[in-house]
Amino acid sequence: MSRPSSRPRLAVMLTSSVGTAAGSKPLAAAIGTAAAGAGWPAVLVADLAVDAPAPRPTVLAATAARELESALAEVDGLAVAARGHLCFVAARDGAELEDRWPALLAALPQPALAVLNLPPPRLALELESPWLGASALLLRADLGRDRSLAALGVRTARRRAMRVKVAARPLGRIAARRALAGLDPGGAASARAGRLLRGLAGTRMVGESGQALPAALAMGTTILFAAFALTAIGGALTGKGRAQRAADLAAISAVRSMRDDLPRLLAPPRLPSGRSNPSHLSQPRYLSRARLAALQAGRGNGVAAPRLRVSFPGASAFPPLRARVTVRAQLRFEPPRDAADPRRGRPRTMPVLAAATAEASAPGAWTGMAPSASGEGGGYAGPLAYRQGRPMRPDVATAFDRLASSARRAGLRLVIASAFRSDAEQARLFAAHPDPRWVAPPGRSLHRCATELDLGPPAAYGWLAANAPRFGFLRRYSWEAWHFGYSRGSPPCSRAASARPKGDGSSSAAGGLPSFVPPRFRRLILRSASRWNVSTGLLSAQLLAESNFNPSAVSPAGARGIAQFMPGTGRAYGLRNPFDAAAAIDAQAHLMSDLLRRFRSVPLALAAYNAGPGAVGSCRCVPGYPETRAYVSRILGLMRGAGEVDVPLEVRLVA
């Protein structure tokens, strides 16, 4: 959305949190009350979360807050409530506040201050595309755990010429409750909110006089002298902190480069035509690009290249996804002059050493039984999103979120009984209930388009009939009060709906399979993936990683065949001959279906395939075996390169 062309005397501040920190919304309210006390005539506090609860009004509200509430009450789609000195706003009916932003601006009296609380996932989006035109950002961060994330947020905001402050601790429980009621939090919390506000908006606030300036100047000499006196004591600690921050950011930058380049490293060196693949990266280039990213991050934080050393622990494993950065710096500072002993005022230099190690790995919490649909029988072929464990098209999932949010406000909790079904699943359902009035035959059901939802409970049928069309859902059949189809966006089962993202030279529209799959195995993979409801891209990437599609492969550990089954595991899945490619691929899909159902996580299922379910089940994580971690990362990278899924490899500091 484009930024409004005119915004006279309107200040916009953002608050958000990073990592595991919480408490940014009470801080936003506390800043708002401090602004109201400093003379801002109109102060607005808004929540940009899609499912933000509607604010509740109170009897106790200041005149300015009531006037602002009246002005904004006319804006369609807003929930507005005056509370104390503030006016709280959230979007209604599952909408997003940016959709209402131009109308809100038009109704907002001037001058005004808007403090907008962002959910953490929205922070990066707003900083990259600042449609709100915010001039300041307050980050709530636990610096002991999330120092590097906070530093990245600060650096990004400063590149946008925004003032930034970091709140290392939340408000106390009582202070937070008072702030969310639009009241002065009181005591130390009130003084802290005032300091944060001055830092975010500048020292001169609306309503303040300039009479405090002479007193501030009179105190300046004393404060300056004390600061110089502490330089000698704190210089080393400050320098160490700067060096450690530079090491942290450089290590994270290196691993981000590795994570982003992983699909290119795993892309085949040659295209199916036999020509060199321009998207392929050799491992030396892959590591060289990561080293360059680390050096650039170090230079951006004041560390010259000769003082920064980058290494890649475990580079012998494939693919390497770990970087270590060491910073060796010399801190130079000048202590205050001492007339009695001139030697004590000479500049001093001391060494500073800092090191950091970062890695990219798959989070165990990433769920997904089948990351995409194959398009079997002319159905939908593309990525799937999950709601309540049910797969559907991503745009349908977004629309359902808004529908469910509106239903919750009406006191109803929607339940998804059924969503996307492949033709194979539809055939089994039709065999159990062979009545075309109630169950469509395979090839005719719209459920294969990933746009249809069977919703409940029965108590919600009346509400759905009246309200679902507002969110793009139409009741398909008069005799099925539960069946709603999504009617906006791309038509069901259309070419536009099934458009797949292109990967780095390894994706193919033919059959929904990556182009690295040999032609003789394509039909086998499609058949087994459809039978066991497992992603074709997942099976294909596994077979490439396991045996490079060699049906005769035998590992030193005794694993056999194209899917590298150990004899005991193969017998458990009815695999008599592991060298029979068709039977092995079907057993592989059956095993992955069971592992996905057990762990409800693609990375954990892959780890269990490699290291065994016991090792994964004992910790509910990807075990720390280098071979298993490399195996999981490689397969996820292959899937991403094939356009199968946006692999959520997490970058984090580990030392």
Side-chain angles (χ1 to χ4, degrees):
M1 179 178 294
S2 62
R3 187 181 302 180
S5 59
S6 175
R7 194 180 303 135
R9 302 184 67 191
L10 171 67
V12 180
M13 298 180 188
L14 302 179
T15 62
S16 188
S17 58
V18 298
T20 58
S24 63
K25 189 172 181 179
L27 282 166
I31 288 174
T33 57
W40 286 90
V43 181
L44 173 77
V45 176
D47 197 334
L48 269 68
V50 172
D51 56 352
R56 294 176 298 175
T58 62
V59 176
L60 180 64
T63 302
R66 286 287 185 215
E67 291 175 351
L68 186 54
E69 178 187 40
S70 299
L72 297 179
E74 302 300 323
V75 180
D76 182 52
L78 290 183
V80 188
R83 296 173 63 84
H85 296 285
L86 306 177
C87 183
F88 289 83
V89 173
R92 288 189 308 189
D93 301 329
E96 296 187 4
L97 191 62
E98 53 262 46
D99 297 335
R100 309 289 187 258
W101 188 244
L104 187 151
L105 290 180
L108 199 62
Q110 305 294 337
L113 170 67
V115 185
L116 309 182
N117 186 54
L118 290 159
R122 291 284 307 279
L123 177 61
L125 178 63
E126 163 55 23
L127 292 181
E128 289 301 321
S129 178
W131 59 271
L132 293 168
S135 60
L137 169 67
L138 172 66
L139 284 177
R140 166 72 187 98
D142 294 328
L143 296 181
R145 288 176 294 183
D146 301 313
R147 176 182 56 192
S148 299
L149 287 175
L152 286 171
V154 169
R155 186 178 177 189
T156 303
R158 284 179 175 167
R159 284 205 303 267
R160 296 286 181 185
M162 298 171 68
R163 297 187 186 93
V164 192
K165 287 289 182 181
V166 177
R169 64 186 188 281
L171 294 179
R173 184 170 58 181
I174 295 176
R177 291 178 64 180
R178 288 182 59 85
L180 290 173
L183 304 176
D184 190 318
S190 179
R192 182 183 173 206
R195 290 194 300 271
L196 289 172
L197 177 66
R198 288 190 291 274
L200 292 170
T203 55
R204 177 106 180 195
M205 298 295 299
V206 174
E208 287 185 325
S209 69
Q211 295 177 0
L213 186 60
L217 291 176
M219 296 173 60
T221 305
T222 304
I223 296 173
L224 209 57
F225 178 81
F228 279 124
L230 290 172
T231 301
I233 300 173
L237 295 177
T238 304
K240 170 70 174 178
R242 288 200 302 267
Q244 185 63 57
R245 183 185 67 177
D248 292 347
L249 295 175
I252 287 176
S253 298
V255 175
R256 281 184 169 178
S257 170
M258 298 165 82
R259 177 198 63 186
D260 295 343
D261 282 344
L262 180 61
R264 297 187 60 191
L265 174 70
L266 298 173
R270 295 193 174 275
L271 298 172
S273 63
R275 293 181 299 160
S276 295
N277 186 353
S279 296
H280 174 70
L281 273 182
S282 65
Q283 184 160 321
R285 272 194 71 198
Y286 170 80
L287 297 179
S288 175
R289 286 165 62 91
R291 180 176 284 106
L292 179 60
L295 294 175
Q296 289 175 339
R299 185 164 55 249
N301 285 274
V303 177
R307 297 192 177 277
L308 189 146
R309 179 173 299 176
V310 187
S311 59
F312 302 99
S316 57
F318 187 81
L321 285 169
R322 181 178 279 231
R324 181 172 178 80
V325 171
T326 304
V327 172
R328 297 179 181 273
Q330 296 290 327
L331 175 65
R332 179 182 175 87
F333 63 94
E334 297 187 9
R337 297 289 179 181
D338 190 333
D341 186 0
R343 292 176 299 176
R344 293 181 61 186
R346 292 177 181 174
R348 299 183 182 180
T349 302
M350 58 179 60
V352 173
L353 177 65
T357 302
E359 71 173 9
S361 60
W366 179 44
T367 59
M369 296 297 289
S372 70
S374 66
E376 175 207 5
Y380 169 67
L384 293 172
Y386 281 75
R387 295 297 183 269
Q388 301 178 16
R390 305 293 184 180
M392 61 195 74
R393 240 168 53 180
D395 57 339
V396 178
T398 301
F400 173 78
D401 289 341
R402 296 175 175 174
L403 177 69
S405 177
S406 181
R408 281 196 300 272
R409 287 192 287 273
L412 296 168
R413 181 173 179 82
L414 298 183
V415 176
I416 305 175
S418 181
F420 168 75
R421 288 197 296 265
S422 67
D423 269 353
E425 294 173 297
Q426 191 70 23
R428 290 194 291 270
L429 186 63
F430 185 74
H433 307 279
D435 184 347
R437 178 179 170 84
W438 299 105
V439 178
R444 296 185 184 177
S445 170
L446 287 177
H447 278 285
R448 75 188 194 282
C449 303
T451 57
E452 310 303 296
L453 301 179
D454 290 344
L455 300 175
Y461 290 164
W463 185 91
L464 286 167
N467 293 278
R470 290 192 294 123
F471 301 92
F473 289 97
L474 295 179
R475 183 171 162 182
R476 292 293 191 194
Y477 310 107
S478 60
W479 60 88
E480 290 186 353
W482 56 86
H483 185 171
F484 289 84
Y486 187 61
S487 59
R488 296 178 186 169
S490 303
C493 292
S494 65
R495 184 184 299 272
S498 300
R500 285 178 172 269
K502 296 297 181 182
D504 293 312
S506 56
S507 63
S508 171
L513 287 171
S515 63
F516 58 69
V517 179
R520 65 182 177 129
F521 297 119
R522 288 178 174 269
R523 182 180 58 83
L524 302 178
I525 293 173
L526 285 169
R527 184 181 66 185
S528 296
S530 175
R531 179 183 181 188
W532 298 108
N533 194 27
V534 179
S535 158
T536 56
L538 174 60
L539 296 182
S540 302
Q542 270 190 289
L543 293 171
L544 179 65
E546 291 285 358
S547 67
N548 198 24
F549 294 99
N550 180 6
S552 304
V554 178
S555 77
R560 302 174 181 179
I562 192 171
Q564 289 292 278
F565 270 99
M566 297 297 288
T569 306
R571 285 193 298 270
Y573 279 85
L575 183 60
R576 298 179 180 179
N577 179 11
F579 301 109
D580 180 343
I585 291 172
D586 195 67
Q588 172 207 6
H590 189 178
L591 173 56
M592 284 304 298
S593 177
D594 287 350
L595 293 174
L596 286 165
R597 190 173 295 108
R598 173 177 175 181
F599 294 108
R600 298 198 65 81
S601 160
V602 173
L604 295 188
L606 289 170
Y609 192 97
N610 180 265
V616 175
S618 62
C619 68
R620 299 296 298 184
C621 69
V622 177
Y625 314 138
E627 177 192 344
T628 301
R629 286 181 173 266
Y631 175 81
V632 173
S633 298
R634 184 183 182 193
I635 290 175
L636 294 180
L638 286 165
M639 292 172 68
R640 182 180 180 185
E644 180 72 17
V645 69
D646 187 11
V647 181
L649 292 180
E650 289 183 344
V651 176
R652 61 178 183 268
L653 290 171
V654 294

